[in-house]
Amino acid sequence: MTEAAPTANPRFPRPHRDDVLLAVISVLAGVLLWSLGVYSTNNRHFFPAWAALVPLLAIGPMELLRRTAPNLTLAVGTAAVIADQFTVGNLGTVIVFTDLMYAAVVYGKPPMARRLPITTGLVTVVVTVVSVAWFRTPQALMIGVITGIVSFGPALTGATLRNQREAAESARLHAEQTALLAEMDRTQAVASERARMARELHDMVANHLSAIAIHSTAALSIDSPATSREALGVIRENSVQGLAEMRRLIGLLRAAGAEQEAAATPSLDGLDALLEQARTNGTASGLDFSLYDGRPPGPRLPAPVELAAYRIVQESLTNALKHAAPGTVRVRVSRAEGLLTVEVDSPCAGQQPGPRAPGSGAGLIGMRERTELLGGEFTAGRAGPVWQVRAVLPAEEKAVAG
């Protein structure tokens, strides 16, 4: 077993090297002043001259603990400077006391840092008033001035420095929090954009891939040259259209201009072409498609609403091609009281052992997310003999922006 390294005593931590230097210089300077006969109270002493070294030797080592034990150093320093007044006096003791007062405010606990400037200020006022009342001479004011210089001045200086440090620390923390929030917003924006891109990619490509899967299944299962040729034609058409939409999305991601993006964005005016394409793709499944557009003449819908409504219809038709029973798929679009309603009803299959074509099941999630991002309502489920997809979207620019 290896012997653990000795640890410093937590009650007496290692002093700072600057404090060690300060303590040595303070004691040496005080001894030098005493040896030269420089006294501060030589007209009112009760002990021999050498007694002035006792408070100095008591207060000097306190400089070693000025950062780590400010309460102790201030208490010892106060007792030492009071005792110094009964000797011939040593300027070194007074100077060290001023530094301990300053350190107590800077390194002490917040309650002490708040109380010391007020306490020393009151002490200075009281000493001044008592000195003037006792001696009744203008020179008595000097006692109050000296008291203020020794106690109130260092405390006020320390409080000013501490307030500046706390303000700087608060500003630093605020800057770090601001940077963290900005990074979180950036991350959230990136995640939101990636989700939007995923929805857009799914809505564009899933319809064409579903048609390709359905017609390739028909071509493989029906041994007829005519059927195979028709299926291959539909597969080629959907492949070309899917690639074209993929190129459009890639172009947008490469920072295409605003005019190109506006021209390429699908709208509800393209529903006829969308249903005609679905009608072609659904021939092999026995599906027909009908459109009822009940929108009254008026201002155009906001671009996000147009795109969301178009994608919801497109995804609903894709799901119908995958899962619906033979019959008619009905698409209804209406606008009233500031709301756009999109409904797609498709015949429910008698039994659903599994999807007819591969799919990830992300269609309903994407439609719901598109609707909720615009502040609308989305429902999807069985309604009697049909599977109904219904989305209610805000039809006014102000509602969408809010």
Side-chain angles (χ1 to χ4, degrees):
M1 296 178 61
T2 58
E3 184 178 356
T7 58
N9 190 336
R11 295 184 58 187
F12 300 98
R14 184 186 299 274
H16 194 277
R17 61 180 181 179
D18 293 341
D19 296 340
V20 175
L21 183 61
L22 189 60
V24 172
I25 294 176
S26 299
V27 173
L28 292 179
V31 172
L32 178 61
L33 291 174
W34 174 84
S35 64
L36 295 176
V38 180
Y39 307 137
S40 60
T41 60
N42 55 0
N43 59 341
R44 58 177 192 280
H45 59 274
F46 303 95
F47 300 98
W50 60 264
L53 295 176
V54 176
L56 175 65
L57 296 177
I59 197 175
M62 292 297 103
E63 292 282 15
L64 302 175
L65 304 176
R66 61 194 293 272
R67 301 172 189 262
T68 57
N71 290 348
L72 174 63
T73 58
L74 184 60
V76 174
T78 302
V81 81
I82 293 175
D84 184 69
Q85 303 305 306
F86 295 95
T87 68
V88 293
N90 192 307
L91 289 177
T93 301
V94 177
I95 293 174
V96 172
F97 174 77
T98 60
D99 181 68
L100 295 180
M101 178 65 71
Y102 165 84
V105 177
V106 174
Y107 303 112
K109 295 181 179 180
M112 172 182 284
R114 289 192 298 266
R115 287 197 301 263
L116 279 180
I118 300 175
T119 303
T120 54
L122 293 177
V123 169
T124 300
V125 172
V126 171
V127 169
T128 302
V129 172
V130 171
S131 300
V132 172
W134 182 265
F135 294 103
R136 297 181 182 277
T137 59
Q139 289 76 12
L141 290 174
M142 292 302 300
I143 300 176
V145 172
I146 294 173
T147 303
I149 293 174
V150 172
S151 61
F152 179 65
L156 185 61
T157 303
T160 302
L161 178 62
R162 182 168 184 143
N163 290 338
Q164 290 177 350
R165 287 181 177 178
E166 291 178 351
E169 181 67 14
S170 176
R172 185 186 65 81
L173 292 176
H174 179 72
E176 290 181 355
Q177 291 176 356
T178 302
L180 180 60
L181 291 176
E183 179 64 20
M184 292 174 61
D185 290 341
R186 187 193 68 81
T187 303
Q188 184 176 3
V190 170
S192 177
E193 183 65 14
R194 291 180 64 178
R196 186 190 68 81
M197 290 165 53
R199 288 193 302 268
E200 188 74 8
L201 182 62
H202 176 272
D203 292 343
M204 286 193 308
V205 179
N207 182 46
H208 299 295
L209 293 181
S210 298
I212 291 172
I214 291 173
H215 284 276
S216 62
T217 302
L220 292 173
S221 60
I222 301 176
D223 189 11
S224 171
T227 303
S228 298
R229 178 176 294 274
E230 180 183 357
L232 290 174
V234 175
I235 290 173
R236 180 185 182 281
E237 180 182 355
N238 280 274
S239 300
V240 171
Q241 292 180 359
L243 288 174
E245 295 204 10
M246 283 289 293
R247 292 192 188 99
R248 182 184 71 85
L249 179 60
I250 293 174
L252 295 180
L253 295 179
R254 289 176 176 171
E259 295 181 358
Q260 294 174 329
E261 181 178 353
T265 301
S267 65
L268 294 179
D269 295 336
L271 289 182
D272 289 327
L274 184 63
L275 263 73
E276 183 61 30
Q277 178 184 351
R279 189 175 293 110
T280 302
N281 295 334
T283 302
S285 302
L287 290 174
D288 190 18
F289 297 85
S290 66
L291 171 65
Y292 170 74
D293 191 348
R295 293 178 296 160
R300 290 185 61 85
L301 293 166
V305 176
E306 287 264 0
L307 178 60
Y310 181 91
R311 293 304 185 196
I312 289 172
V313 174
Q314 184 183 44
E315 179 61 29
S316 299
L317 297 180
T318 300
N319 290 340
L321 289 173
K322 291 180 181 179
H323 308 294
T328 302
V329 178
R330 292 179 172 82
V331 179
R332 293 185 295 274
V333 181
S334 60
R335 179 178 180 179
E337 298 180 356
L339 297 174
L340 175 70
T341 303
V342 178
E343 294 180 344
V344 181
D345 296 341
S346 55
C348 285
Q351 55 181 1
Q352 298 181 356
R356 298 189 201 175
S360 63
L364 292 178
I365 297 176
M367 289 189 285
R368 185 180 302 277
E369 288 179 350
R370 285 184 179 275
T371 305
E372 292 177 352
L373 284 175
L374 296 174
E377 298 179 359
F378 177 82
T379 56
R382 187 157 187 163
V386 299
W387 177 272
Q388 184 179 80
V389 174
R390 187 173 188 270
V392 180
L393 303 171
E396 297 179 358
E397 190 74 36
K398 183 182 298 184
V400 174

